[in-house]
């Protein structure tokens, strides 16, 4: 193809932060833990969640406020408040700041990221934006609200997904449950808890391989677009 198709842009992900943290905090967590070899191969947009924190944050005293939350829930995690507003807010971000090649989420942001492809496929969310193509899930789990879960996981999650599972993460059993719904998961195990981990050699290799795969898909799309433009120009000529 021409040189235009040969220049591949970096994969671009929408980063969804954890409960009662912020986009700035997730950015700091990732940029202080992940090496340059990863950071130079991915662009991440870090919005704040729509709702100011309605209680104490677990990172208070570690990271500066303000803190935000995507939606609220009861202590059993089965009843959600402002969930539809959250979905509309994420869709608006994608419309205004996209397109994106995937979602990257940590904790509450990872639960959202893992459930959105299924909700989108059912027409329950993100109906005005392109299909979610890739997922990076850090400390994730499934939705526990019965109605939301039924819609999110009734069909397998077909898009490629990369999952970070911490040996001491309290969400690990639930992260394993999410894996069962994914058709094409890659799993990076790490010894830490509920956190953004550093990479060991094996994990780094898997991360770079995943990003290379996303990059390859981007190139393929660019080539298709270029062919279409060339065909249109030929017709007009």
């Amino acid at each position: 193809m021409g040189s235009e198709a040969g220049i591949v842009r970096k994969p671009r992900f929408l980063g969804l932060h954890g409960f009662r943290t912020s986009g700035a905090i997730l950015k700091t967590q990732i940029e202080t833990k992940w090496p340059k070899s990863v950071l130079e191969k991915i662009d991440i947009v870090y919005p704040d969640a729509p709702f100011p924190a309605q209680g104490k944050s677990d990172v208070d005293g570690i990271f500066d406020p303000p803190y935000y939350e995507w939606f609220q829930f009861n202590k059993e995690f089965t009843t959600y408040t402002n969930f539809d507003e959250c979905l509309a807010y994420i869709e608006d971000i994608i419309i205004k700041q996209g397109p994106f090649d995937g979602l990257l989420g940590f904790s509450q942001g990872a639960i959202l990221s893992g459930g959105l492809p299924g909700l989108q496929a059912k027409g329950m969310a993100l109906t005005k934006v392109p299909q979610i193509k890739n997922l990076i899930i850090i400390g994730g789990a499934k939705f526990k609200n019965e109605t939301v879960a039924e819609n999110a996981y009734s069909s397998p999650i077909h898009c490629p997904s990369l999952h970070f599972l911490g040996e001491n993460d309290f969400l690990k059993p639930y992260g394993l449950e999410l894996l069962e719904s994914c058709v094409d998961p890659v799993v990076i195990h790490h010894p830490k808890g509920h956190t953004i981990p550093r990479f060991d050699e094996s994990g780094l290799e898997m991360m770079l391989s995943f990003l290379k795969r996303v990059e390859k898909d981007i190139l393929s799309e660019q080539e298709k677009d270029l062919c279409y433009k060339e065909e249109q120009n030929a017709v007009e000529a």
Side-chain angles (χ1 to χ4, degrees), residues 12-19 21-27 30 43-51 66-70 86 89-94 96-98 100 102-106 109 112-113:
R12 195 161 181 266
F13 279 73
L14 178 61
L16 306 182
H17 64 75
F19 185 62
T21 64
S22 69
I25 290 171
L26 179 61
K27 186 174 192 287
I30 284 177
D43 282 328
I44 306 171
V45 174
Y46 298 96
D48 293 324
F51 302 103
Y67 310 122
Y68 301 90
E69 53 199 47
W70 294 101
C86 165
Y89 178 83
I90 292 171
E91 181 171 61
D92 193 53
I93 291 171
I94 295 172
K96 291 177 178 174
Q97 299 187 48
F100 294 99
L103 302 176
L104 177 153
F106 171 62
L112 272 167
S113 298

Side-chain angles (χ1 to χ4, degrees), residues 111-123:
I111 294 169
L112 272 167
S113 298
L116 279 169
L119 294 176
Q120 186 182 41
K122 281 269 194 173

Side-chain angles (χ1 to χ4, degrees), residues 104-177:
L104 177 153
F106 171 62
S107 196
Q108 189 183 35
I111 294 169
L112 272 167
S113 298
L116 279 169
L119 294 176
Q120 186 182 41
K122 281 269 194 173
M124 308 293 291
L126 310 186
T127 57
K128 301 173 187 173
V129 296
Q131 187 176 353
I132 296 167
K133 298 173 187 171
N134 299 281
L135 298 174
I136 298 176
I137 305 290
I138 309 166
K142 283 187 170 184
F143 289 122
K144 285 196 171 182
N145 175 283
E146 193 174 329
T147 305
V148 175
E150 191 176 309
N151 286 310
Y153 315 115
S154 59
S155 298
I157 300 167
H158 286 280
C159 63
S161 56
L162 177 68
H163 304 252
F164 289 77
L165 289 180
E167 194 55 43
N168 294 304
D169 188 347
F170 70 96
L171 281 184
K172 184 183 177 184
Y174 309 105
L176 289 168
E177 284 179 8

Side-chain angles (χ1 to χ4, degrees), residues 7-59:
I7 301 169
V8 189
R9 61 173 176 78
K10 282 196 275 189
R12 195 161 181 266
F13 279 73
L14 178 61
L16 306 182
H17 64 75
F19 185 62
R20 294 182 181 165
T21 64
S22 69
I25 290 171
L26 179 61
K27 186 174 192 287
T28 299
Q29 289 172 313
I30 284 177
E31 292 187 353
T32 56
K33 298 284 189 70
W34 289 4
K36 186 179 176 183
S37 59
V38 170
L39 296 175
E40 66 186 11
K41 293 188 180 300
I42 184 172
D43 282 328
I44 306 171
V45 174
Y46 298 96
D48 293 324
F51 302 103
Q54 296 186 11
K56 184 174 172 58
S57 168
D58 287 343
V59 300

